[in-house]
Amino acid sequence: MPNNINNNLNNIKKRIEDAAIRAKRDPKKIRLVAASKTVPVDLIREAVAAGHSLFGENYIQEARSKIESIGRNNISWHFIGHLQTNKAKYAVRLFDMIHSVDSLNLARELDKRAKKENKVLPILVQVNIAEEATKYGAGTDEVISLVRKISPLENLSLRGLMTMPPYFNEPEKVRPYFRELKNIQVRIQEEGIPNIRMDELSMGMTGDFETAIEEGATMVRIGTAIFGARNYSFSEKEFS
Ligand SMILES: *Cc1c(COP(=O)(O)O)cnc(C)c1O
């Protein structure tokens, strides 16, 4: 199936802008993370050629080979998949932000590895709002306590929250989950926890990003609408 990455990107950017304007928000405050898991390097290069510079990857090994081949010159790579603690050191070397910190254990390991690399790593805490057994993330009740425990870790810079709501065909059904992430953000902001920022909300994918923007998303992670349907045979077998 032929893809016109440039057209797809323009189309999505226009929809992001329209959704922001509808919500009386500044479109510039919303970043598009092109979710490029399983997407071959030549299609990612097309996106780069079209002027896009922010990509989200889910699997360490796959990302490592892509980042080696495409490089990081004016390109940001975010990790958006589930991160196993034993891969933290690679994640720290490869990525500019981790969206999926879901435990204190993982946060401590990332902090330790970031210290060794002499860097401060921006992270988001992933929240599993529906408490689905099949999804990762801190439960709604645990988030504030996790954020408190992460805040003293000097080589992590906590910037906000991320969620993957349950899948629905209608984006309207997802709205309460986005709204709840926003509520949790506000609650944490009101706590005045030191050494953290709570500005970012990473939420919204191909099927529901406009709803997410209406509810306050600052980063939307979009794959299919940019690159077309995924072919998983390219990826390593570590998905969950
Ligand atoms: C794949 C993926 C996306 C993008 O999903 P699409 O429906 O293809 O836009 C967003 N977020 C995460 C965490 C993903 O794994």
Side-chain angles (χ1 to χ4, degrees), residues 33-37 56-59 79-82 99-100 126 162-164 167 202 204-209 220-230 232:
V33 181
S36 48
K37 62 174 177 278
E57 287 282 342
N58 290 59
Y59 311 110
F79 190 80
I80 63 175
H82 175 62
H99 288 225
S100 46
Q126 181 172 357
M162 179 271 223
T163 198
M164 288 264 286
Y167 180 78
S202 167
M205 309 179 8
T206 290
D208 54 22
F209 69 91
V220 291
R221 311 175 309 264
I222 300 178
T224 309
I226 298 171
F227 299 111
R230 283 182 284 277
Y232 275 97

Side-chain angles (χ1 to χ4, degrees), residues 8-47:
N8 294 350
L9 276 167
N10 286 337
N11 193 1
I12 292 297
K13 285 180 192 158
K14 177 80 172 79
R15 286 172 61 189
I16 289 172
E17 196 180 317
D18 290 348
I21 290 166
R22 270 201 308 280
K24 303 191 164 51
R25 299 185 52 206
D26 178 359
K28 291 193 209 73
K29 297 267 160 67
I30 298 148
R31 285 191 283 168
L32 170 57
V33 181
S36 48
K37 62 174 177 278
T38 80
V39 174
V41 161
D42 53 335
L43 289 189
I44 299 177
R45 285 192 204 283
E46 271 187 51

